[in-house]
Every structure is written in C-alpha cells, then in structure tokens.
Amino acid sequence: MDGYYKNIRGGVLRKVFAKYLDGCTPREISKSLDISIYETNRILRDKSLVERKIIPSSLFEIVQEEISKRSKQPNKKYPLVGILFCGKCGAPMIGKKRKYKARTYHQYICKTYADHGRKACSQENQKGKELEGLILEDLRSQFADARKKVENSGLKASLKVLEVEHKIVDDQIKDLKEKTLQAFINQDLMEADQFEYVMTALKRKVAELKKKRKAIEEEINSIKSDKDFEMAPFLDLLFGENAEEELSSIFSFFVEKVIVTGKAIDVFYKFK
C-alpha cells in the first residue's frame, strides 16, 4: 500500500469501516487492529480511499452519515464535550480519563494544550465531576422558577384529560363508521326513505365528532408547543434524583456553551 497507509494493508483499512458500522468506537477499533486512534479517525474520513478504489463509495457515504449521527448524540462519558470551550484560545475542551493510584477520574483539557503543549495554551485542566456539579447547581438555580411555573400551570394534567377525551371521541367515530357500514350492507332490509334518514343522521353525527376531535387536537398541539411544556420532561431530569446520570441530556437541552477562562466559568443558556 503506497502513500500514507503504506504500512497498513487494504484489508485492515476495510475492517476499520466494517467495525465502525458494527458500533465500535475509533478507540476500540484502534486497539483491535493495532493502529493509532489518529490513524483510525483519518481513515474513516479519507475520501481518497474511494478514489483509489480501496473502499466502495456506498460504504464510505454510509460511514460518513454514521459519523454525523454519532456526533449529534449526547456524550454520556464526557457530558460537556461539544459545548465546553477554552476562554484563553477559543479551542474546544476535550474529555480525558485519568488515574491516580487506585482512583479513576476524568478531566476537561484544552485541545490546543492537548495537541501542542502548555506553551501553546496556559488554560489549566478542569476536574470533570467538579465542573459538571457546578454547572448542574447553577442550572437548578436558574430554572427553579420555571419548574414551579410548570408544576403550577396544570399543563400536564390538562394534556392527560385532553388525550383521554380524544380517545373517547376517536372510538365514537370508529363506532359510527362501523354502524354506517352495517347500514349500507343492510339497506335492502329498510325502506328507501328510512335508509336515507339513517345514513344522513350517521353522517351528521360523524361530522360533529370530527369537528370536536379537531378542536381537541388543536388544544393538545397548543399545549405541546408551549415552551414550558417542552421544557417539562427536562426539568424533571434536572431536579430528579438521578440527574447526575442524565447530565448529557440535561446539558445538551439547556446549555448553549460554557467558556472557562482561568478559574472563571461562564455558562450561556438556550432559554432566558
């Protein structure tokens, strides 16, 4: 194999793509195939492999879609990745696992520092749990009033009532349509004017119920489009007992970005 991949066989290159589609992470792939994670990430995005007919274009495109899809998913291991930035150089901050004696923990470090050393950026590393905890507490403080508003608004209860009403009306419409079908099947057993009367009455009743169902649906949609209702399930996560296990979902919903400059932390929220 010539060029950059001269020490990597074509079969290994194809395995990189196959393993990625099987759900492996780049780190898992690099370990199993004994290549660096840098090489793995480069291979997965290298369009020249298609031009050189090493990788089929269809496979390459599917992998690019999967890369894009994964990049949009919350990072449960490092929940601030993607929204955390260094205030000194502007680079994103990345998550790193650390070990000290028997203890394992994680930090967020400036990518400029990670790539080029401390001379390139002097931003100190951030303790993961500590930083996440500070932001979580700030979120709870910022959105305490929003939580009370949602709890006192009765939106959830109203929605449940409307959904029950919608089901009742929907069942009634289905029942009338069944009666309409039966009347049509048995029309020979009725006088013509009686059949016309029955069909007209059923049609009118169905029209009335459809109108009622539409009104209910409009109320349901109005509640669901309410900003407070949209926020409700995430407020439940934010103030729930298992919030620390749901940090990736909480941060991705509420937080636009976090900038760390020295010891100062600036959090920018998506909702005012």
Side-chain angles (χ1 to χ4, degrees):
M1 184 70 59
D2 60 345
Y4 180 79
Y5 306 112
K6 62 182 179 180
N7 295 320
I8 304 176
R9 298 191 309 275
V12 173
L13 294 172
R14 287 186 283 273
K15 282 182 181 179
V16 170
F17 285 81
K19 284 181 174 291
Y20 190 78
L21 288 182
D22 280 341
C24 294
T25 65
R27 187 170 296 280
E28 290 169 339
I29 294 169
S30 67
K31 285 183 178 179
S32 67
L33 298 178
D34 195 27
I35 57 178
S36 73
I37 191 168
Y38 174 78
E39 289 173 321
T40 302
N41 282 316
R42 177 169 177 163
I43 289 166
L44 287 168
R45 294 168 174 80
D46 191 351
K47 198 169 184 179
S48 73
L49 295 174
V50 175
E51 297 165 0
R52 294 156 64 188
K53 302 189 183 303
I54 299 169
I55 300 297
S57 60
S58 56
L59 175 61
F60 183 81
E61 293 303 324
I62 291 171
V63 166
Q64 301 319 299
E65 290 176 8
E66 179 65 15
I67 290 172
S68 177
K69 180 181 175 182
R70 290 192 196 183
S71 69
K72 294 174 183 176
Q73 294 175 342
N75 189 325
K76 291 196 172 184
K77 203 171 189 179
Y78 306 113
L80 288 172
V81 166
I83 59 173
L84 180 62
F85 297 88
C86 171
K88 291 192 175 182
C89 71
M93 297 188 74
I94 59 176
K96 287 288 184 182
K97 185 168 71 174
R98 302 293 192 208
K99 284 187 177 181
Y100 179 72
K101 295 183 179 179
R103 189 169 67 93
T104 300
Y105 62 99
H106 69 279
Q107 291 184 324
Y108 291 99
I109 66 174
C110 172
K111 193 172 187 305
T112 299
Y113 157 66
D115 291 342
H116 305 291
R118 189 62 71 195
K119 288 184 178 180
C121 184
S122 60
Q123 174 58 48
E124 61 192 67
N125 300 344
Q126 300 294 308
K127 294 178 181 177
K129 287 289 184 184
E130 185 176 312
L131 180 59
E132 292 157 8
L134 287 171
I135 295 171
L136 180 63
E137 287 307 309
D138 190 58
L139 269 168
R140 286 173 170 166
S141 173
Q142 292 288 333
F143 290 93
D145 289 342
R147 182 195 187 195
K148 290 178 183 177
K149 184 179 177 183
V150 169
E151 289 177 344
N152 297 331
S153 68
L155 287 174
K156 290 181 181 179
S158 297
L159 182 64
K160 286 182 180 179
V161 171
L162 287 168
E163 287 175 338
V164 170
E165 290 180 1
H166 186 274
K167 187 179 185 311
I168 291 171
V169 172
D170 211 37
D171 289 342
Q172 289 174 336
I173 291 172
K174 289 176 182 176
D175 183 56
L176 288 173
K177 285 184 176 180
E178 180 63 28
K179 288 180 179 179
T180 301
L181 177 60
Q182 289 301 318
F184 183 78
I185 292 171
N186 299 319
Q187 63 178 303
D188 292 341
L189 302 177
M190 292 183 281
E191 297 293 334
D193 57 345
Q194 183 188 11
F195 174 72
E196 184 178 347
Y197 173 80
V198 170
M199 294 297 284
T200 301
L202 287 169
K203 185 177 180 180
R204 183 176 64 252
K205 186 61 177 175
V206 168
E208 289 173 358
L209 286 171
K210 282 186 174 180
K211 185 177 180 180
K212 184 177 180 180
R213 183 174 65 181
K214 184 179 180 182
I216 294 172
E217 287 172 348
E218 287 176 351
E219 287 189 68
I220 288 173
N221 290 334
S222 176
I223 289 176
K224 287 185 174 180
S225 63
D226 187 283
K227 187 178 76 172
D228 292 333
F229 181 82
E230 179 191 2
M231 199 182 290
F234 292 93
L235 287 170
D236 289 342
L237 290 179
L238 175 60
F239 290 94
E241 293 180 359
N242 299 318
E244 290 187 3
E245 297 174 15
E246 301 291 343
L247 288 179
S248 55
S249 296
I250 293 169
F251 291 160
S252 65
F253 182 80
F254 287 104
V255 181
E256 185 70 41
K257 63 181 176 180
V258 179
I259 298 177
V260 176
T261 310
K263 295 184 181 298
I265 304 168
D266 293 308
V267 184
F268 299 83
Y269 296 110
K270 293 180 180 178
F271 305 94
K272 299 295 184 184

